[in-house]
Amino acid sequence: MAAPCVSCGAAASYRLFLGGRVSFARGQGLWKAAAAELQKSTGCQILRLRHTTAVTRKNVAALRRETYTVDFIKKQIEEFNIGKRHLANMMGEDPETFTQEDIDRAIVYLFPSGLFEKRARPIMKHPEEIFPKQRAIQWGEDGRPFHFLFYTGKQSYYSLMHETYGKLLDVEKHQDQLQAKGLFSEKTKTKDPIGSRWLIKEELEEMLVEKLSDQDYAQFIRLLEKLSALPCGAAKEEFVSKFRRSVTIQSKKQLIEPLQYDEQGMAFSTGQGNRKTAKAEAVVYGHGSGRIEVNGVDYLLYFSVIQDREQLMFPFHFLDRLGKHDVTCTVSGGGRSAQAGALRLAMARALCSFVTEDEVEWMRQAGLLTVDPRVRERKKPGQEGARRKFTWKKR
Amino acid sequence: MRAMVPGTAWPRLLGAGVRRRPLRLHLVQAATPGPAGPSGRTLWSAAAPAAREPERSSDLSDRILNEPLKHSDFFNVKELFSLRSLFDARVHLGHKAGCRHRFMEPYIFGSRLDQDIIDLEQTAVHLQLALNFTAHVAYRGGIILFVSRSRQFSHLIENTARDCGEYAHTRYFKGGLLTNAPLLLGPRVRLPDLLIFLHTLNNVFEPHVAVRDAAKMSIPTVGIVDTNCNPTLITYPVPGNDDSPLAVQLFCRLFQTTINRAKEKRRQVEALYRLQAQEGAKGRSPADSSPGAQVGLDLGHSP
């Protein structure tokens, strides 16, 4: 009985709200009509409807930006801590030393979820990670704002610009003083630019808890670059490094197998590779004359096409080790070109053990260590091939 | 047709833009804890003996606020500068005669080799009025906003504002910052009570938008107007050079000193009144006689 009334009440209030926005007179008419309609059904619901309309009207502005009060966040943190202790007790572990990883594992155990979207699965994290960071109220009891750049609108960004510019001026003054004393030396020892990058706009926005425009961000980075171009002391380096993030070099993840030694003391290394449906395994020996044996047959006989043989030679040619290694390999599946590609990858991976880290990085950049992801695309119905359509006839 | 003034939440300093109401005492209440009676309770929660205390506190706050208004130069701002110091800071140098604004002609002394020279005697008078007004605003706890759009002095002005505990805006001025403040800055924001323009023009040599907006929002302005500026909308124009570094540094120093002096004076006066009120309360409890200590304001001001 209550459900239909509530739904009709909600619908009526929504209509009323919309009507109110467009024109007050029309709203009034709608309100009267709705009131009459409700009076026919249940007299007591009108009061509730009146209350609902007032509430919806007032809360429009609030709904646009959900602001979490400080008290609300504090309550959430308390609830989280209590919940953490309960969870620890449930799992039979010590509540004092219950870490976030333990919480995650416990949740995965207690609420197994088959959902594919990881973000839709149940989580239990500290409220600071869930609720977005927000600005507390910016002024005191007497109405005076706390920050001296409050009236600019973007106080954190502009105060950061002010601070950075201040540092730039200090550095220039210091340089002038040194030059006056004659102690100025032209050496510019810049920090290694490779391996770190400037923060991106999103990271800066997160740091400042403020929205920025692209021009603001570009201006800030330009100022930082100007500052970092000047030679100066450790304090500035520390300031600038706050805005740099390290870039993880991809090849560090490359697992380089150590060299193995057989009975004669010859160093060798194995590598595996695949391309389309071909799978290959190669054993590269440390010393040799550049002989390559594929499936027990010399590569000149196995691969009659020069292109395939060139593919096999490429890793050695790249590292200038053409006649220095012997290779024994096996390959199966695929066609001739796919087998050649698989063998190339296997040999390059095996060669990583014989070679320095820099050369491994160069090989990676040359694409020798990347698996070619291209596979045959399936044929689709209604088309002749994967992409080829049937001949289009106008009539 | 009066727009919705956001300042209705906070009592505006000069009662500007707000309909007349009884003087709100919250500015003073926060500072003066009131006569510390034997129970140490606050003003409004006390019983019968406190019947006279509200009058006394309003009396005191009235005295604190009105006493400086009875003197023409309560804060003695005249001693901060002299004609000589203005001349040495090159405040008299204006732009070329071709850049002259028509309304600046009364303030120009003459022109030498096609460069306008500003009349420093008029400047001195206007500067004294402006500094005096700034001091009064600072004394009454008003929010002062330094505005400028010159990139050369932006850092200096922001430092000045920070050092005297006030606010600065030397960046791109967003459209409705003053006129649409509840939307841009927050629902119950308090607007500045005084705007100080160190450069009235923006980077394209047009009058700064804040001049017009402050006039719209009934916010008084103090502005350093050069020979190419329009002084009409500014409440306390100060004709002077705004391009030389020395001149701008001088003005920043002057404003900083006046504001600090006024705030210091306010702190002293409140401490003094608090002491007097305490003594008065102690004197009153044995003998319930004359209200408070009739101490005149014998502060070190020049008449």
Side-chain angles (χ1 to χ4, degrees):
Chain A
M1 219 278 273
C5 288
V6 165
S7 63
C8 101
S13 68
Y14 175 69
R15 255 187 312 148
L16 274 164
F17 163 62
L18 279 182
R21 275 186 74 171
V22 170
S23 72
F24 190 62
R26 268 226 308 252
Q28 283 227 308
L30 273 172
W31 155 238
K32 280 184 191 140
E37 184 187 299
L38 269 165
Q39 215 162 20
K40 282 179 220 156
S41 50
T42 40
C44 60
Q45 295 295 335
I46 292 176
L47 284 170
R48 212 149 60 109
L49 177 64
R50 209 177 274 151
H51 176 67
T52 341
T53 9
V55 164
T56 27
R57 253 182 231 248
K58 235 197 295 184
N59 279 349
V60 164
L63 281 172
R64 248 188 275 137
R65 229 187 314 164
E66 274 188 56
T67 43
Y68 302 109
T69 55
V70 177
D71 298 322
F72 174 77
I73 301 275
K74 264 197 221 155
K75 205 163 66 94
Q76 294 294 313
I77 293 178
E78 277 166 28
E79 283 179 12
F80 171 77
N81 287 328
I82 293 171
K84 199 166 91 161
R85 297 186 76 89
H86 278 308
L87 190 63
N89 284 328
M90 265 193 268
M91 301 300 287
E93 298 204 28
D94 181 22
E96 304 297 330
T97 56
F98 205 56
T99 58
Q100 187 59 45
E101 286 91 30
D102 296 329
I103 296 177
D104 294 334
R105 259 186 282 125
I107 296 291
V108 164
Y109 172 71
L110 291 169
F111 302 99
S113 162
L115 296 173
F116 288 125
E117 177 64 60
K118 297 265 191 318
R119 288 178 294 180
R121 294 185 185 174
I123 49 165
M124 182 164 159
K125 285 203 172 358
H126 193 85
E128 302 235 309
E129 290 168 44
I130 299 179
F131 295 104
K133 269 197 280 194
Q134 265 159 13
R135 286 280 189 71
I137 204 85
Q138 304 288 329
W139 50 82
E141 268 184 22
D142 55 353
R144 289 184 73 103
F146 297 128
H147 200 277
F148 76 108
L149 291 176
F150 170 76
Y151 288 103
T152 56
K154 295 189 255 198
Q155 64 184 50
S156 324
Y157 169 71
Y158 284 131
S159 88
L160 186 64
M161 290 290 279
H162 177 81
E163 204 189 323
T164 317
Y165 189 67
K167 291 223 163 21
L168 186 73
L169 288 178
D170 287 337
V171 163
E172 285 179 352
K173 202 168 79 166
H174 184 63
Q175 263 186 19
D176 288 340
Q177 283 171 354
L178 285 181
Q179 214 157 26
K181 287 190 204 157
L183 300 169
F184 185 65
S185 50
E186 282 294 337
K187 63 169 169 73
T188 50
K189 47 171 185 73
T190 46
K191 252 170 48 122
D192 182 29
I194 310 170
S196 63
R197 57 165 176 85
W198 292 119
L199 310 157
I200 53 173
K201 187 175 148 213
E202 281 73 25
E203 288 172 350
L204 188 62
E205 279 185 346
E206 204 189 352
M207 203 162 113
L208 299 175
V209 194
E210 220 170 46
K211 283 264 168 291
L212 295 178
S213 76
D214 290 331
Q215 292 89 354
D216 291 337
Y217 170 72
Q219 189 76 7
F220 179 60
I221 296 294
R222 233 177 288 151
L223 192 61
L224 278 178
E225 301 223 320
K226 195 168 161 194
L227 182 59
S228 60
L230 296 174
C232 67
K236 182 215 85 172
E237 293 288 342
E238 194 196 310
F239 179 75
V240 169
S241 65
K242 269 194 279 189
F243 302 103
R244 288 210 80 111
R245 297 281 179 269
S246 67
V247 164
T248 49
I249 302 174
Q250 277 291 89
S251 78
K252 292 249 167 19
K253 297 186 191 153
Q254 199 83 15
L255 262 178
I256 301 170
E257 300 283 324
L259 278 178
Q260 296 162 55
Y261 292 89
D262 64 1
E263 298 96 28
Q264 279 88 36
M266 171 85 97
F268 73 95
S269 169
T270 41
Q272 287 181 339
N274 55 314
R275 170 92 211 274
K276 285 195 195 173
T277 21
K279 288 201 186 353
E281 191 178 322
V283 179
V284 177
Y285 294 95
H287 303 283
S289 57
R291 196 178 47 89
I292 305 182
E293 200 179 315
V294 187
N295 285 355
V297 173
D298 191 42
Y299 74 124
L300 190 58
L301 305 173
Y302 194 84
F303 291 114
S304 42
V305 182
I306 183 102
Q307 179 192 328
D308 303 334
R309 292 199 294 270
E310 274 177 1
Q311 286 289 296
L312 293 202
M313 288 196 291
F314 182 32
F316 300 101
H317 176 69
F318 185 79
L319 298 166
D320 284 329
R321 285 163 180 255
L322 261 176
K324 296 181 189 149
H325 294 277
D326 261 351
V327 189
T328 312
C329 35
T330 49
V331 69
S332 63
R336 62 167 178 86
S337 186
Q339 282 185 347
L343 275 172
R344 186 183 97 174
L345 178 62
M347 286 198 284
R349 280 181 175 166
L351 272 174
C352 283
S353 323
F354 290 94
V355 134
T356 57
E357 283 202 17
D358 281 345
E359 293 187 307
V360 168
E361 176 62 17
W362 295 341
M363 278 215 286
R364 180 191 75 82
Q365 286 182 3
L368 277 167
L369 300 174
T370 325
V371 177
D372 199 333
R374 298 177 289 177
V375 288
R376 190 177 151 271
E377 199 175 313
R378 67 159 278 196
K379 175 198 173 312
K380 283 112 194 170
Q383 292 173 6
E384 204 171 302
R387 298 286 171 102
R388 156 104 178 134
K389 318 282 186 282
F390 290 122
T391 312
W392 177 73
K393 293 206 170 82
K394 203 161 182 177
R395 43 187 77 81
Chain B
M1 131 122 185
R2 213 180 46 182
M4 256 297 285
V5 180
T8 42
W10 306 105
R12 296 287 285 281
L13 270 194
L14 307 173
V18 188
R19 62 176 188 281
R20 293 272 148 230
R21 327 184 145 140
L23 180 67
R24 295 258 201 100
L25 296 174
H26 81 274
L27 283 173
V28 182
Q29 262 179 20
T32 44
S39 56
R41 272 185 287 174
T42 56
L43 277 171
W44 310 112
S45 59
R52 241 181 307 169
E53 286 172 23
E55 299 152 19
R56 191 162 304 121
S57 72
S58 66
D59 197 36
L60 286 180
S61 68
D62 271 341
R63 224 153 8 127
I64 292 178
L65 293 177
N66 295 338
E67 188 58 40
L69 298 175
K70 296 174 189 160
H71 307 273
S72 67
D73 195 2
F74 186 73
F75 301 96
N76 200 12
V77 295
K78 265 204 287 280
E79 67 170 17
L80 294 174
F81 66 94
S82 65
L83 238 74
R84 184 79 210 169
S85 66
L86 290 179
F87 182 82
D88 288 333
R90 314 200 241 287
V91 166
H92 59 289
L93 300 173
H95 289 274
K96 291 282 194 182
C99 298
R100 195 191 305 164
H101 191 104
R102 204 181 135 190
F103 296 142
M104 287 300 290
E105 277 162 19
Y107 303 118
I108 291 174
F109 184 74
S111 110
R112 157 109 177 122
L113 294 174
D114 215 24
Q115 185 183 11
D116 288 333
I117 306 295
I118 297 168
D119 188 358
L120 281 183
E121 285 175 356
Q122 289 190 58
T123 302
V125 170
H126 283 90
L127 186 58
Q128 192 265 324
L129 288 172
L131 289 177
N132 183 44
F133 184 72
T134 319
H136 279 273
V137 170
Y139 179 85
R140 295 164 88 94
I143 292 182
I144 299 178
L145 185 64
F146 287 83
V147 180
S148 161
R149 198 62 181 101
S150 166
R151 288 172 64 94
Q152 192 180 357
F153 305 108
S154 161
H155 191 78
L156 168 69
I157 293 166
E158 286 182 341
N159 281 335
T160 312
R162 196 185 37 198
D163 293 337
C164 54
E166 297 296 341
Y167 307 86
H169 187 104
T170 58
R171 310 283 174 167
Y172 175 73
F173 195 87
K174 271 205 284 203
L177 201 77
L178 294 175
T179 44
N180 200 7
L183 196 75
L184 270 80
L185 297 172
R188 285 168 51 234
V189 72
R190 181 176 156 185
L191 283 182
D193 299 301
L194 173 66
L195 252 59
I196 300 186
F197 286 91
L198 283 121
H199 295 86
T200 318
L201 301 181
N202 60 16
N203 287 339
V204 281
F205 300 105
E206 278 170 5
H208 200 292
V209 175
V211 169
R212 189 200 65 191
D213 282 354
K216 277 191 188 175
M217 301 303 290
S218 316
I219 300 174
T221 42
V222 162
I224 315 253
V225 281
D226 205 348
T227 48
N228 56 353
C229 307
N230 184 353
T232 44
L233 280 178
I234 298 171
T235 336
Y236 289 93
V238 177
N241 185 8
D242 61 6
D243 300 300
S244 297
L246 266 182
V248 177
Q249 280 163 17
L250 172 80
F251 284 120
C252 284
R253 219 178 25 245
L254 286 174
F255 283 120
Q256 191 177 335
T257 326
T258 15
I259 293 171
N260 285 335
R261 219 184 240 203
K263 288 185 174 173
E264 189 51 49
K265 198 57 111 32
R266 179 60 184 255
R267 278 194 288 269
Q268 281 173 9
V269 160
E270 283 188 343
L272 185 73
Y273 273 102
R274 214 174 307 139
L275 270 172
Q276 286 175 359
Q278 279 177 6
E279 280 170 25
K282 281 194 208 132
R284 228 182 327 106
S285 33
D288 210 325
S289 58
S290 57
Q294 290 290 338
V295 181
L297 272 178
D298 49 311
L299 306 162
H301 64 258
S302 65

